[in-house]
DNA sequence: CCCTATAATTTAGTTAGGCTAACTAATTAG
DNA sequence: CTAATTAGTTAGCCTAACTAAATTATAGGG
């Protein structure tokens, strides 16, 4: 589902979207307020969880790349990585072509942790959805796909 | 728009909702990741922003109540409040019935700050939505309303 | 009036995340 | 073969958020 480039003549679309953006924003805030609670149960801090999910869901990368995507300086990432390495969530793999580089890879333990955290959050959402009609669920599904698409770039 | 209590015979709704909950969860995460960036621009830390928005959007309450809702110990909240009081975001109002208690109230400056933060985030969402069709926007709007309803309890 | 409970603060200390500056080691360019 | 660049680490410092324990002041029942 790739976003089609919109040709001229889209009319009042931008104007219509303004209040919707506000409502969508509020909805996201309130949904996430709920989810944050299940997040704490994972027992890992937000910066670590964030860096680790990059490694788990987007694959291995170097420390510098990870620092860039997480928008921190390399020394900060060094420490985050050291802590998570000591806890068995990250493995360092030396780059054979460039000995200065270490590629970081999430371990099975990390994947298990994130899967657990995810399923906690997902069941919170399920619980919230349990009284919806089939049509309402369809609407949410369509919206989820649209949002993914929008967030992709 | 109050959630209607669903009578028996809703059939496979719960089963259908399972993968949708997962997709909705992912969508929310990715949307949030975007919004966190605009949040930084507000220049206030996450714990403070969170506590302050309780006061702004849910109204005044005592320090102890605020500590409870934010899930921190009273000393932690004392410090958060002291900092925000010094910056002019919170006003303390002595409780006439119980002199041990101070009721915390957000100032106009706080409201202005949160409005600014909100509009930053909303324009991020608008920007993301700018290539959607009218039908897609309608879907998002319906979903936003459903989510608000779900999150409400 | 005393005793206990409660609201908030102070005290004293920890932990985590962030930074810059200075360093080592490896790579690449002249 | 130097010189400059790049990846990552170390060291040192700062701030924010958090905690438990002790303290202060008020409330309220017996």
């Amino acid at each position: 589902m790739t976003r089609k480039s919109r040709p001229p003549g889209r009319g009042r679309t931008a104007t219509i979207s303004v209040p919707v953006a506000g409502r969508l924003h509020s909805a996201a805030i309130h949904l996430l307020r709920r989810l944050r609670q299940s997040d704490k149960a994972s027992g890992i801090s937000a910066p670590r969880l964030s860096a680790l999910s990059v490694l788990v869901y987007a694959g291995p990368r170097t420390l510098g790349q990870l620092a860039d995507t997480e928008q921190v300086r390399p020394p900060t990432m060094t420490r985050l990585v050291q802590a998570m390495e000591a806890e068995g969530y990250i493995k360092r793999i030396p780059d054979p072509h460039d000995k200065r580089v270490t590629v970081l890879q999430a371990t099975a333990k990390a994947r298990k942790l994130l899967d657990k955290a995810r399923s906690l959050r997902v069941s919170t959402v399920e619980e919230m959805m349990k009284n919806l009609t089939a049509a309402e669920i369809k609407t949410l599904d369509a919206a989820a796909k649209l949002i993914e698409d929008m967030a992709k770039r």
Side-chain angles (χ1 to χ4, degrees), chain A:
Chain A
M1 197 177 282
T2 339
R3 183 100 300 282
K4 42 217 170 283
S5 75
R6 190 141 302 284
R10 66 191 176 290
R12 310 191 336 98
T13 301
T15 315
I16 293 167
S17 74
V18 174
V20 178
R23 285 195 284 275
L24 188 57
H25 166 258
S26 294
I29 294 296
H30 294 142
L31 182 58
L32 288 158
R33 183 161 296 171
R34 284 290 204 89
L35 296 183
R36 225 179 342 177
Q37 266 133 41
S38 1
D39 245 14
K40 276 193 200 161
S42 73
I44 188 171
S45 75
R48 290 182 195 188
L49 193 61
S50 176
L52 200 54
S53 33
V54 171
L55 294 181
V56 167
Y57 298 118
R61 57 226 327 102
T62 69
L63 187 141
Q65 289 169 338
L66 190 56
D68 282 350
T69 59
E70 292 298 294
Q71 306 193 67
V72 297
R73 303 284 163 201
T76 301
M77 191 49 69
T78 292
R79 271 202 297 183
L80 288 173
V81 167
Q82 280 169 345
M84 290 191 281
E85 192 189 8
E87 286 162 357
Y89 294 123
I90 289 180
K91 217 176 80 186
R92 302 175 107 106
I93 296 168
D95 184 327
H97 304 303
D98 186 339
K99 288 178 191 164
R100 295 169 305 177
V101 175
T102 29
V103 175
L104 305 173
Q105 188 165 31
T107 63
K109 187 180 173 186
R111 246 162 277 128
K112 220 183 289 180
L113 176 79
L114 292 211
D115 284 353
K116 200 195 78 188
R118 187 193 141 90
S119 76
L120 270 172
R121 281 177 270 143
V122 171
S123 31
T124 301
V125 177
E126 274 171 37
E127 174 62 25
M128 290 169 69
M129 288 176 62
K130 72 163 186 273
N131 280 325
L132 299 183
T133 64
E136 288 167 338
I137 289 169
K138 229 174 138 181
T139 297
L140 288 182
D141 197 28
K145 285 169 183 162
L146 284 170
I147 291 167
E148 284 294 7
D149 225 31
M150 281 160 45
K152 205 169 278 168
R153 174 79 290 256

